[in-house]
Amino acid sequence: MLERLGDWKRSSYCAEPAAVDIGKTVTLMGWVQRRRDHGGLIFIDLRDRTGLMQLVFNPEAGVVHAKAHDLRSEFVIAVKGAVGKRPVGTENPNLKTGEVEVVVKELKVLNDSAPLPFMIEDETDVAETTRFKYRYLDLRRASLQRKLLLRHRVAMATRNYLSENGFIELETPVLTKSTPEGARDFLVPSRLAPGNFFALPQSPQLFKQILMISGFDRYFQIVKCFRDEDLRADRQPEFTQIDAEMSFVDREDVIGVMEGLIVRIFKEAGVDLKPPFPRMTYSEAVGRFGVDNPDVRFGLELKDLTGALKGSGFKVFADAASRGGVIKALCVKGGASFSRKDLDDLTEIAVSFGARGLAWVKLTEEGWQSPIAKFLSDAEKETIVKALGAEKGDLLLFGADKAAVANTVLGRLRLNIGGRLGLIPKEGYSFVWVTEFPMLDYDETEKRFVAVHHPFTAPMEADLEKLDTDTLKVRAQAYDLVLNGSEIGGGSIRIHRSDIQAKVFEKLGIAKEDAELRFGFLLDALKFGTPPHGGIAFGLDRIMSIITGSESIRDVIAFPKTQKGADLMSDAPSGVDAKQLEELFIRLAKKVEKTEKA
RNA sequence: GGGGCCGUAGUUAAGUCGGUUAUAACGCUGGCCUGUCAAGCCAGAGGGCGCGGGUUCGAGUCCCGUCGGCCCCGCCA
């Protein structure tokens, strides 16, 4: 029999009453976590977002006791009772409220619950599929509530800090214009303009620049961004950025203010960071770690042997060098004990990242054990050993290829081996700013230059004149913040002159008319007194997932999507009525209609 | 677009070389039980193995297809 809340008011959260409250009468409301029914005494653990409180029902309580007997998991109840000290010897040190209990005098059953598909427990090994279908139950678990509570506090800290530093929170449209470049857009058909589409923003990039042109000087927003690309453990199609932009600043100004923000955010999590964070240029990062998001928590750095081995008798090495590539190596301390299977795994990884194979050397008691030993002279072997500081018991891995391939392959092997050998510390936060990214890259398939960061990123002043002569050497005033090998934010100083912006579009192979069509409003705006400006965006989900030690960003998002971009709880995406399509002047292709979901 | 792993009671898992009636734990239901807190003890219900084909005397086990989940490559300015 369900009862009404009536005029009952909650006097405190479950985990609030403590020893000092003994004797007080309290009114608690929450969910039945567990019932321990002794026939006589009945114990109920009552749960809300603050934690648990043990309720005691004495047999003398008559009808209240009888009602308690019928309580089941996740029933919603309200109780009135007295806070009491637990009898000596029955305290529960594992519970925040373990010294006290509430002796119940009145009980209202506000709602019942169907049997649960899984238990509401902190530690769970229930499949994500099931958890996501019943996400509301999953979210009752304390571990997830803690993460989302911290996320809230981080968002608040962000607002406070940025506001204190003169940033104004402004909203930008969610229905916006599709622009070429970058990720695939999510499109929204326009009913009022048949055949035309809005795009959901990949980021508020252009709008925040325009806000600078408007003179707001400092802007920020905690904002959803959308990218229609395949998902990963750290990638969702909709994700949240802490987005900021500042006027009349250079790189150091942005980095300075943003380090302060990061410090403030981590303080919420009880972590004291000591700025300034280390810096590294892009070329140093790629040279030493093989990637532009270096995990600097451990060594195992890449070594360049191109100079030493370019004249090698080993064709793979010599060819790589003569074609303008590089010869690089990793020296894995103690790696000579790797099994054939380990080496096969590593080779597979190397191949998956574009290598043609993986040359390895084991330095054993008997000397060089390696498929490539026979191609190398004794002098070369000595050079290698010396250059790598290699000793008996080590494993050497080589990458000889175009620089991009050799670096990526060895960089990925480094991460894998670091994990395999337990070289990566579990605790701690290692930040590094990566700066001086190249501005443009050449896309072999599209046969044109593409922006490494985005097309509005300013080149470094010193490289401006190289734009035509030595395009790939032009560095951008861009910077990424990397935490434990994960890119958690990136930004740049923007182009604020329309002539330079037009020039960059030209370099990107965007025809003048096309630039006019796609970015015309920005090019126009740039003509009307644009201040120098720059900014940054942080991935809030990624930051939260690292702070909370989560394996995937799905654990710090209340309602995440599966790898196929579906929401298992609401069953989105789904088909729509023919009438809705009609109103939008949309007809499905036949091929799609067949597989259309109801 | 591609590679890998995984789908067996509500949940997590076991299931041998294809062979009777598919196991266990937790949960659930009922009973007993006055200091438990993963309460305890006793009894019970519950699935036909993601779905669809095929091979076979016989399929959870083998084959093909398909759906779904996870990890990764490509993609993600």
Side-chain angles (χ1 to χ4, degrees):
Chain A
M1 207 26 195
L2 301 181
E3 292 157 284
R4 293 197 183 142
L5 188 55
D7 61 354
W8 284 31
K9 301 290 174 211
R10 178 166 60 186
S11 69
S12 70
Y13 283 110
C14 289
E16 283 174 347
V20 295
D21 301 304
I22 287 166
K24 282 187 193 157
T25 294
V26 292
T27 305
L28 303 180
M29 301 181 188
W31 287 261
V32 172
Q33 175 70 31
R34 189 169 262 116
R35 165 176 141 267
R36 291 180 294 279
D37 190 340
H38 290 233
L41 274 180
I42 296 171
F43 298 100
I44 298 283
D45 288 337
L46 189 67
R47 187 196 71 239
D48 63 20
R49 75 176 200 208
T50 64
L52 297 177
M53 172 60 76
Q54 172 163 283
L55 308 178
V56 189
F57 295 81
N58 286 306
E60 296 76 37
V63 89
V64 171
H65 181 265
K67 274 160 72 180
H69 176 76
D70 290 330
L71 293 176
R72 293 294 181 272
S73 289
E74 300 308 306
F75 278 28
V76 181
I77 63 172
V79 295
K80 286 189 182 186
V83 179
K85 187 169 169 55
R86 294 197 188 189
V88 176
T90 67
E91 301 90 350
N92 184 349
N94 300 321
L95 219 56
K96 187 186 160 205
T97 57
E99 276 187 67
V100 297
E101 60 194 8
V102 169
V103 182
V104 177
K105 297 196 177 70
E106 293 179 73
L107 163 68
K108 283 189 178 189
V109 180
L110 302 176
N111 219 336
D112 57 10
S113 167
L116 302 166
F118 53 85
M119 284 183 285
I120 313 296
E121 287 174 336
D122 220 7
E123 297 296 319
T124 185
D125 51 0
V126 177
E128 253 188 346
T129 323
T130 313
R131 290 173 47 203
F132 284 1
K133 184 174 175 193
Y134 302 97
R135 186 61 164 174
Y136 37 88
L137 298 179
D138 196 27
L139 289 172
R140 286 184 189 172
R141 294 165 48 225
S143 56
L144 277 184
Q145 292 216 343
R146 267 198 303 274
K147 289 178 181 183
L148 292 177
L149 227 61
L150 181 59
R151 185 177 173 130
H152 157 72
R153 286 179 27 220
V154 164
M156 289 305 291
T158 298
R159 290 202 162 92
N160 290 335
Y161 175 87
L162 290 174
S163 180
E164 286 159 19
N165 281 276
F167 289 79
I168 299 167
E169 184 169 15
L170 292 166
E171 292 169 83
T172 52
V174 167
L175 295 176
T176 178
K177 188 180 171 70
S178 178
T179 54
E181 301 287 307
R184 191 176 295 112
D185 284 325
F186 278 101
L187 295 179
V188 179
S190 164
R191 177 180 59 85
L192 298 175
N196 289 293
F197 295 82
F198 294 102
L200 304 182
Q202 297 174 29
S203 87
Q205 183 59 36
L206 295 178
F207 288 98
K208 69 175 175 178
Q209 287 190 238
I210 283 171
L211 288 170
M212 293 304 100
I213 298 173
S214 302
F216 282 97
D217 195 68
R218 290 186 170 198
Y219 140 98
F220 86 98
Q221 192 178 186
I222 297 176
V223 62
K224 275 287 177 72
C225 301
F226 305 87
R227 294 176 192 178
D228 189 7
E229 297 294 347
D230 287 358
L231 288 79
R232 289 286 189 281
D234 63 351
R235 268 164 39 190
Q236 286 270 308
E238 57 175 303
F239 61 99
T240 304
Q241 282 190 346
I242 299 170
D243 192 47
E245 196 77 5
M246 309 163 75
S247 292
F248 304 107
V249 291
D250 63 15
R251 179 181 82 190
E252 295 309 311
D253 296 318
V254 177
I255 287 181
V257 174
M258 293 305 154
E259 281 188 348
L261 172 62
I262 295 295
V263 168
R264 181 79 158 261
I265 284 174
F266 274 75
K267 201 169 175 173
E268 284 299 319
V271 179
D272 281 318
L273 299 176
K274 308 242 175 332
F277 302 149
R279 306 283 186 92
M280 197 179 285
T281 64
Y282 170 89
S283 70
E284 184 183 355
V286 170
R288 289 172 57 196
F289 301 96
V291 293
D292 64 6
N293 53 338
D295 190 335
V296 294
R297 287 175 296 177
F298 67 107
L300 196 60
E301 294 185 17
L302 283 60
K303 291 280 176 358
D304 195 336
L305 302 176
T306 315
L309 296 176
K310 64 183 172 208
S312 171
F314 183 32
K315 207 167 171 315
V316 172
F317 286 177
D319 283 359
S322 69
R323 287 187 190 135
V326 298
I327 305 160
K328 299 187 76 167
L330 287 176
C331 173
V332 185
K333 289 287 160 202
S337 60
F338 276 26
S339 66
R340 183 75 228 182
K341 166 94 168 59
D342 291 326
L343 291 170
D344 285 348
D345 285 353
L346 295 177
T347 303
E348 204 175 302
I349 292 166
V351 168
S352 81
F353 283 95
R356 278 170 295 236
L358 179 63
W360 54 268
V361 173
K362 280 183 181 178
L363 295 180
T364 67
E365 287 299 330
E366 291 77 41
W368 278 49
Q369 184 190 328
S370 167
I372 66 164
K374 58 179 176 283
F375 302 113
L376 297 169
S377 70
D378 287 345
E380 281 171 338
K381 289 181 185 173
E382 199 177 320
T383 307
I384 290 170
V385 166
K386 205 174 249 171
L388 298 179
E391 304 164 302
K392 278 198 179 66
D394 293 350
L395 170 71
L396 314 181
L397 300 172
F398 296 87
D401 213 311
K402 286 181 289 194
V405 174
N407 284 324
T408 303
V409 166
L410 290 179
R412 294 303 185 133
L413 288 174
R414 172 181 176 268
L415 289 173
N416 183 280
I417 293 166
R420 219 176 258 257
L421 296 180
L423 302 177
I424 306 172
K426 291 201 169 53
E427 305 286 320
Y429 301 95
S430 293
F431 289 88
V432 58
W433 286 104
V434 178
T435 61
E436 298 180 26
F437 279 76
M439 186 157 143
L440 300 166
D441 195 9
Y442 192 75
D443 188 315
E444 295 290 348
T445 43
E446 290 191 37
K447 303 284 178 217
R448 67 179 187 99
F449 289 108
V450 292
V452 169
H453 195 61
H454 59 54
F456 320 108
T457 299
M460 288 180 69
E461 308 265 342
D463 296 349
L464 199 48
E465 68 272 17
K466 286 193 221 156
L467 209 46
D468 283 318
T469 54
D470 206 356
T471 311
L472 287 173
K473 286 276 167 59
V474 176
R475 292 164 300 166
Q477 296 191 52
Y479 32 83
D480 277 1
L481 183 59
V482 175
L483 167 55
N484 293 353
S486 206
E487 183 202 324
I488 60 163
S492 62
I493 299 302
R494 326 298 183 188
I495 297 167
H496 66 282
R497 280 171 42 179
S498 56
D499 57 334
I500 297 180
Q501 186 65 71
K503 174 93 191 163
V504 169
F505 282 150
E506 184 196 317
K507 274 283 134 194
L508 289 170
I510 302 174
K512 202 161 185 182
E513 311 79 65
D514 224 27
E516 207 54 55
L517 202 64
R518 299 300 186 179
F519 304 111
F521 64 108
L522 177 74
L523 290 171
D524 277 348
L526 287 172
K527 290 175 190 156
F528 295 101
T530 300
H533 63 286
I536 195 164
F538 293 103
L540 180 59
D541 312 285
R542 284 189 186 174
I543 290 175
M544 292 314 303
S545 119
I546 295 172
I547 291 185
T548 59
S550 304
E551 283 182 15
S552 131
I553 62 170
R554 296 186 294 273
D555 273 355
V556 296
I557 296 172
F559 301 103
K561 292 182 171 53
T562 66
Q563 194 156 59
K564 287 210 172 128
D567 174 353
L568 298 181
M569 186 180 74
S570 70
D571 200 30
S574 59
V576 295
D577 291 343
K579 183 161 182 290
Q580 290 176 286
L581 291 177
E582 226 170 90
E583 286 174 339
L584 296 167
F585 297 88
I586 288 177
R587 191 174 298 145
L588 300 180
K590 286 219 166 58
K591 196 175 148 195
V592 176
E593 276 177 342
K594 271 185 207 162
T595 56
E596 188 194 351
K597 293 209 286 180

